[in-house]
Amino acid sequence: MEAARPPSTAGKFVVVGGGIAGVTCAEQLATHFPSEDILLVTASPVIKAVTNFKQCILTEDGNQHVYKKLCLCAGAKPKLICEGNPYVLGIRDTDSAQEFQKQLTKAKRIMIIGNGGIALELVYEIEGCEVIWAIKDKAIGNTFFDAGAAEFLTSKLLAEKPAAKIAQKRTRYTTEGRKKEARSKSKADNVGSALGPDWHEGLNLKGTKEFSHKIHLETMCEVKKIYLQDEFRILKKKSFTFPRDPKSVTTDTEMWPVYVELTNEKIYGCDFIVSATGVTPNVEPFLHGNSFDLGEDGGLKVDDHMHTSLPDVYAAGDICTTSWQLSPVWQQMRLWTQARQMGWYAAKCMAAASSGDSIDMDFSFELFAHVTKFFNYKVVLLGKYNAQGLGSDHELMLRCTKGQEYVKVVMQNGRMMGAVLIGETDLEETFENLILNQMDLSSYGEDLLDPNIDIEDYFD
């Protein structure tokens, strides 16, 4: 005779977070345990507390859900340059991207603060609007590129844009059919799902002006102060016009809704400011009353089975910090691809643990590999592509054809440790294998990057 089923709020597995890590984790658990109810708790505002003591989570709607194993995939929150300013928009999730598009249709000039992936893509995609882009580094995209690659891309950024879009072949996760609820200001800090790699497809990022590209880059600076129009007037401050010619800087006579003073003493007015200055792990809702071990970057520490320091609680994606002995050519970065790999692997670990099986470390943590698109170029990053953690004990080899491709290889003791490939280089598979098998390549010297030598023939 079948035992009575427990109430529907009791499930073997509960996953918190509706982003890519959470969705992947829940899907994977469902394939392992087709007869179990897998509970995916999503929609930013719902999590209130997790109490490991009774193994249940309490949600804001007053329900409690009992679990045997829990995976926290609540992502990360944008680091906003200032809270509660109506002219400062953070772009992190699909809702904020749509809000941004709405604001942009009325804008003549905006300011973008930040140097990560979202800032890079925005700057390239925006048309018909003056863009002043402030970064704290010497060169653009410094998490992804060294100065050489940045220069290669910057020339493309300042050139006119081609109209053709490359077709996408990736599975997309969207939230169709959801009523567009008006986001009240009090809810604006709720964390939605992070943007996937194709987030600006289908958004028409056009301002009010008739030109395509107008970008001015301010490097080595951060935001010092933000003034609203009235305050700016009272203080009798002066701001600059959009710099057409670096030698002649003139005072702006136009009045703007908001002004930004940079640490390099320059002040610019604009219609609104986009804060794209990275993220911090969204651990806050889970810390009260629990003693999670946290990593240096504030994420929940996980071991090589995605276990947090609390029994039966796992974590994956942007919320977690890897704390096992990492492979020499892998590093954690809060990227969409890693969130998916971690969600998938966490589900495998939860399944193995609950069936009493053992499981090996997933292969995706052997080699860091990230494929993306910046400024319409294919960009592939492999291994220690920026010589991360190698100190001065490495050398670089470069091959660059302006406007076409940029290839950089990081070598250490004759072995390939990392690579940056921009453009259609067709080298990624070969290089991936060379990094993984750590073959001694000293005898090839510079031939490794000679465009007249078909390197794949060497290493089949």
Side-chain angles (χ1 to χ4, degrees):
M1 190 185 125
E2 198 176 273
R5 289 194 60 174
S8 64
T9 53
K12 197 169 186 171
F13 301 105
V14 176
V15 180
V16 172
I20 186 68
V23 169
T24 308
C25 184
E27 283 178 350
Q28 187 61 22
L29 284 167
T31 59
H32 277 283
F33 300 98
S35 57
E36 288 283 347
D37 286 338
I38 313 290
L39 180 65
L40 178 65
V41 183
T42 158
S44 24
V46 296
I47 303 298
K48 204 170 177 186
V50 174
T51 55
N52 201 51
F53 171 61
K54 295 201 208 58
Q55 298 228 308
C56 68
I57 60 171
L58 308 169
T59 50
E60 230 165 41
D61 53 15
N63 287 333
Q64 59 173 352
H65 304 282
V66 180
Y67 63 84
K68 292 201 179 74
K69 298 213 177 294
L70 168 70
C71 191
L72 301 176
C73 305
K77 290 196 298 215
K79 292 181 204 160
L80 269 192
I81 47 179
C82 83
E83 298 289 337
N85 185 321
Y87 296 101
V88 176
L89 276 182
I91 298 196
R92 162 70 187 160
D93 52 20
T94 37
D95 288 355
S96 57
Q98 275 159 351
E99 176 62 23
F100 167 73
Q101 180 185 0
K102 206 169 76 199
Q103 299 286 348
L104 188 61
T105 55
K106 308 187 284 270
K108 293 187 298 233
R109 183 193 296 165
I110 68 167
M111 247 180 118
I112 296 179
I113 314 291
N115 199 12
I118 287 181
L120 282 167
E121 294 186 37
L122 267 186
V123 167
Y124 185 70
E125 293 292 330
I126 289 168
E127 299 179 354
C129 177
E130 293 175 348
V131 176
I132 294 172
W133 184 16
I135 64 175
K136 66 178 193 300
D137 314 289
K138 274 201 198 72
I140 65 169
N142 80 321
T143 27
F144 303 106
F145 308 121
D146 59 2
E151 196 179 320
F152 174 84
L153 284 169
T154 307
S155 57
K156 170 84 171 223
L157 182 63
L158 304 173
E160 277 302 298
K161 248 172 70 177
K165 278 263 194 275
I166 296 171
Q168 291 293 342
K169 296 190 184 64
R170 201 187 276 113
T171 315
R172 296 228 191 122
Y173 294 87
T174 51
T175 45
E176 293 292 82
R178 197 166 54 94
K179 286 203 306 296
K180 296 267 182 291
E181 302 136 33
R183 294 176 81 193
S184 63
K185 274 290 163 227
S186 68
K187 294 261 166 155
D189 57 351
N190 292 333
V191 185
S193 301
L195 296 163
D198 313 314
W199 66 274
H200 48 70
E201 303 282 326
L203 283 185
N204 179 22
L205 299 181
K206 219 165 155 30
T208 58
K209 304 268 185 126
E210 274 313 302
F211 51 79
S212 116
H213 244 74
K214 277 222 174 83
I215 295 153
H216 172 70
L217 185 61
E218 289 283 351
T219 59
M220 312 278 291
C221 65
E222 295 182 62
V223 173
K224 187 173 170 186
K225 198 159 173 20
I226 295 175
Y227 305 95
L228 298 182
Q229 194 184 77
D230 293 350
E231 191 184 358
F232 190 79
R233 242 198 227 112
I234 293 162
L235 292 168
K236 295 196 167 59
K237 295 256 182 200
K238 293 247 189 300
S239 72
F240 294 146
T241 52
F242 188 87
R244 298 272 177 279
D245 168 10
K247 287 182 281 295
S248 66
V249 177
T250 48
T251 304
D252 202 347
T253 49
E254 194 166 341
M255 288 307 288
W256 297 93
V258 65
Y259 290 84
V260 179
E261 183 175 356
L262 299 169
T263 48
N264 62 10
E265 307 304 319
K266 294 183 184 175
I267 300 181
Y268 292 103
C270 57
D271 289 305
F272 66 91
I273 302 155
V274 178
S275 175
T277 48
V279 295
T280 48
N282 181 32
V283 296
E284 218 36 60
F286 312 106
L287 299 183
H288 182 71
N290 294 309
S291 52
F292 280 109
D293 288 350
L294 299 182
E296 278 174 26
D297 57 9
L300 302 175
K301 263 191 182 181
V302 289
D303 66 12
D304 58 1
H305 284 62
M306 306 311 282
H307 234 138
T308 66
S309 55
L310 297 189
D312 298 314
V313 181
Y314 296 72
D318 283 2
I319 194 174
C320 78
T321 302
T322 54
S323 65
W324 64 84
Q325 179 67 56
L326 301 181
S327 142
V329 287
W330 188 86
Q331 62 268 331
Q332 182 182 7
M333 282 179 81
R334 290 187 163 75
L335 297 164
W336 205 74
T337 40
Q338 284 196 356
R340 184 169 51 195
Q341 289 160 349
M342 287 179 173
W344 188 87
Y345 178 55
K348 305 271 285 188
C349 293
M350 291 163 80
S354 73
S355 324
D357 301 330
S358 67
I359 182 175
D360 286 334
M361 187 78 206
D362 188 72
F363 184 70
S364 59
F365 301 106
E366 277 300 302
L367 171 70
F368 175 86
H370 184 56
V371 182
T372 183
K373 218 172 71 212
F374 288 128
F375 307 175
N376 246 3
Y377 284 112
K378 177 177 179 181
V379 174
V380 180
L381 306 173
L382 297 173
K384 300 292 182 186
Y385 62 89
N386 251 350
Q388 295 95 323
L390 300 183
S392 55
D393 175 27
H394 69 274
E395 52 207 42
L396 303 179
M397 291 204 281
L398 291 176
R399 169 172 118 198
C400 180
T401 314
K402 199 172 168 26
Q404 203 176 332
E405 59 163 25
Y406 178 94
V407 177
K408 176 188 83 169
V409 173
V410 180
M411 304 291 293
Q412 188 177 46
N413 305 328
R415 288 165 172 77
M416 193 182 292
M417 297 301 290
V420 173
L421 307 172
I422 304 178
E424 295 299 328
T425 64
D426 282 335
L427 291 170
E428 54 264 44
E429 254 179 71
T430 309
F431 281 10
E432 212 168 295
N433 291 329
L434 290 177
I435 296 171
L436 276 171
N437 65 28
Q438 288 292 289
M439 182 176 162
D440 187 345
L441 304 167
S442 352
S443 55
Y444 297 97
E446 297 291 319
D447 285 355
L448 209 52
L449 293 188
D450 185 335
N452 304 312
I453 293 177
D454 197 346
I455 185 146
E456 288 156 66
D457 301 344
Y458 272 116
F459 304 113
D460 271 345

